[in-house]
Amino acid sequence: IAAPQHRSSKTESYTDNKRKEDVRQANIIAARSVANAVRTSLGPKGMDKMISTSNNEVIITNDGATILHKMQVLQPAAKMLVELSKSQ
């Protein structure tokens, strides 16, 4: 009786396209959320934002840089956008 041959996992590749699409969609949603947080404060009819910090400080501003600086972002793509805005 011949022993069953096992394929090496190094030669096989499995691509989970569903996971890639989920990550891509999450990144798009995060980028849109950051943009929406700042968008309404821009322009001649820009509205002020009230930001409550973790130490109970309340800041009212319509400055996009201040809004982004005070945001505590956890999602990696959104965090990259916030860091990118700081370098501008």
Side-chain angles (χ1 to χ4, degrees):
I1 298 175
Q5 294 179 351
H6 297 286
R7 290 186 176 179
S8 173
S9 63
K10 292 181 182 178
T11 59
E12 293 181 18
S13 65
Y14 175 73
T15 306
D16 188 3
N17 289 331
K18 177 70 173 141
R19 175 134 167 84
K20 286 181 182 178
E21 187 62 33
D22 290 344
V23 170
R24 185 176 296 123
Q25 196 65 24
N27 289 341
I28 291 170
I29 290 170
R32 283 183 179 166
S33 297
V34 170
N36 287 336
V38 178
R39 179 180 293 134
T40 56
S41 67
L42 301 175
K45 295 183 180 181
M47 296 182 286
D48 290 345
K49 300 282 185 186
M50 183 185 304
I51 303 168
S52 177
T53 61
S54 58
N55 58 356
N56 295 327
E57 180 185 3
V58 176
I59 300 168
I60 299 177
T61 183
N62 67 352
D63 179 31
T66 303
I67 294 168
L68 290 173
H69 179 71
K70 297 294 181 180
M71 288 177 82
Q72 294 179 354
V73 182
L74 299 177
Q75 207 277 346
K79 192 174 220 175
M80 183 181 70
L81 289 173
V82 171
E83 292 298 320
L84 180 66
S85 73
K86 290 179 183 177
S87 69
Q88 284 292 317

